[in-house]
Amino acid sequence: MRATVMYGPGDVRIENVPDARLIEPTDALVTVGRACICGSDLWPYKLMKPGEPPRRMGHEAIGVVEAVGSGVLTLKVGDVVVMPFAYSDGTCAFCHEGLHTSCVHGGFFGTVELPGAQAEAVRIPLADGTLFVLSVGEDDALMASLLTLSDVMGTGHHAARTAKVGRGKTVAVVGDGAVGLCGVIAARRLGGERIIFLGRHPDRIALAKAFGATDVVSERGEAAVARVRELTGGFGVHSVLECVGTDQAMLTAIGIARPGGAVGSVGVPHYETIPASQPAFYNNLTISGGPAPVRAYIAELLPDVLDGRIEPGRVLDRVITLDQVPEGYRAMNEREAIKVMVKP
Ligand SMILES: [Zn+2]
């Protein structure tokens, strides 16, 4: 089969690899109907070091179950399923607490250990606990929005939850990628009253406004902090969704949080220590976030997607074939595309 392999910075290729197959009895084999390129895939695309082993990329997909192992109880061949970016057993202490990304038997797709979903097919470990069966046809018009339940919509929701967004709260979203935009949807959905979007790209600003952003701040760094404070009576916002993962983004997030406020960080941190610990301390901020347990959120978000109350699929602004994946990485890296859908 054909699959995406990352070799180094800017070097991502489509190659023929051995067919995905069942290995453990608890595995399912899924034919990929639609996959995505993720903002987090751009980290190795930019920063992969010489000597690092090649990686089979991709952790977001919708597809059809093609085969199941003898130990799989709840799935059958032909089921349309969405895969979360992490696999999990659904039965351990952390899965029961809704924190599937800390599953004691879990792990992540698109890593050196486990081949990813930017491919014709993908092996799903612990399939009963991992996959979520959708009651839709494979070509349903809602497919783009359903696909975001693999990662970006659930991750935006996690940012909003950990930033303690609620009715009447003021919110700011740092990061204008797909996750930040989904964070606007989530903040609105959870009752955020004033939602300030930090971004400067006109297309992304337009989408943020369509999703419920009430204000836009296009300044950066200290100027952005000053502008958000100006918009909020000098105090800052109750809830900050940090959807980037750089120390500068975290610095901005802490700078615009109101005393007693919370920062929900879902951008994979590419810094060693959290900056601005003194202002965070003196302002009694809650610094939270982490890899979103999207498996836990699918059931909550799915009805809103099916009813059309939220349309996170609008972040997928380009559709490509598997052969065009290297071009898709380039387009996302150069910010020509917000998020790319792959149809193998
Ligand atoms: Zn578990």
Side-chain angles (χ1 to χ4, degrees):
M1 68 169 190
R2 287 175 308 142
T4 303
V5 190
M6 178 81 73
Y7 283 93
D11 184 6
V12 62
R13 308 176 202 168
I14 300 301
E15 294 191 335
N16 288 313
V17 300
D19 285 348
R21 61 184 180 91
L22 301 175
I23 296 176
E24 301 292 336
T26 46
D27 288 349
L29 183 64
V30 170
T31 303
V32 175
R34 288 165 182 78
C36 300
I37 301 173
C38 185
S40 63
D41 294 337
L42 298 178
W43 287 110
Y45 185 73
K46 285 185 280 211
L47 297 174
M48 199 166 160
K49 293 192 176 64
E52 273 189 67
R55 266 169 68 179
R56 294 264 301 276
M57 303 298 292
H59 54 256
E60 303 154 279
I62 282 182
V64 177
V65 175
E66 191 180 310
V68 294
S70 58
V72 173
L73 303 173
T74 62
L75 300 159
K76 59 182 189 305
V77 172
D79 281 344
V80 176
V81 290
V82 57
M83 61 174 270
F85 64 81
Y87 64 91
S88 53
D89 60 14
T91 57
C92 77
F94 296 107
C95 286
H96 278 302
E97 290 171 14
L99 195 58
H100 296 68
T101 40
S102 291
C103 176
V104 296
H105 300 114
F108 297 90
F109 291 97
T111 55
V112 174
E113 293 76 28
L114 183 63
Q118 290 161 11
E120 290 181 291
V122 59
R123 176 178 83 90
I124 308 288
L126 303 172
D128 280 323
T130 302
L131 294 174
F132 192 104
V133 179
L134 299 169
S135 55
V136 295
E138 202 196 346
D139 287 317
D140 195 285
L142 294 167
M143 214 39 98
S145 285
L146 293 169
L147 180 55
T148 66
L149 299 177
S150 266
D151 185 347
V152 286
M153 185 59 225
T155 296
H157 179 67
H158 191 56
R161 285 275 297 265
T162 53
K164 302 183 183 178
V165 174
R167 207 147 292 287
K169 295 281 187 73
T170 53
V171 181
V173 178
V174 180
D176 66 357
V179 171
L181 290 162
C182 288
V184 173
I185 295 175
R188 178 73 172 205
R189 186 178 166 278
L190 292 171
E193 189 174 286
R194 191 155 186 203
I195 302 170
I196 303 169
F197 179 72
L198 278 72
R200 38 178 56 193
H201 192 292
D203 295 352
R204 295 168 193 239
I205 289 170
L207 199 48
K209 284 182 172 170
F211 286 162
T214 56
D215 301 82
V216 173
V217 167
S218 293
E219 288 88 346
R220 279 187 178 158
E222 284 177 24
V225 172
R227 181 75 186 123
V228 172
R229 289 187 169 275
E230 198 181 305
L231 288 170
T232 51
F235 288 156
V237 298
H238 296 103
S239 302
V240 186
L241 284 59
E242 192 282 290
C243 307
V244 182
T246 62
D247 54 355
Q248 183 55 55
M250 185 52 102
L251 200 58
T252 300
I254 290 170
I256 61 180
R258 171 191 170 109
V263 176
S265 174
V266 292
V268 180
H270 281 68
Y271 47 86
E272 283 298 313
T273 54
I274 298 176
S277 58
Q278 288 246 343
F281 175 81
Y282 282 105
N283 287 324
N284 272 283
L285 300 187
T286 301
I287 309 291
S288 185
V294 296
R295 181 62 178 79
Y297 295 146
I298 294 174
E300 178 183 346
L301 298 168
L302 183 59
D304 283 16
V305 169
L306 294 176
D307 289 352
R309 280 193 294 272
I310 59 173
E311 297 179 289
R314 291 173 69 182
V315 302
L316 289 154
D317 59 346
R318 190 173 292 195
V319 181
I320 62 171
T321 65
L322 204 47
D323 289 326
Q324 295 168 321
V325 160
E327 162 61 17
Y329 272 81
R330 188 206 58 77
M332 273 185 67
N333 192 45
E334 291 176 15
R335 298 176 66 81
E336 280 173 23
I338 300 173
K339 189 170 179 68
V340 173
M341 182 199 284
V342 185
K343 288 180 82 171

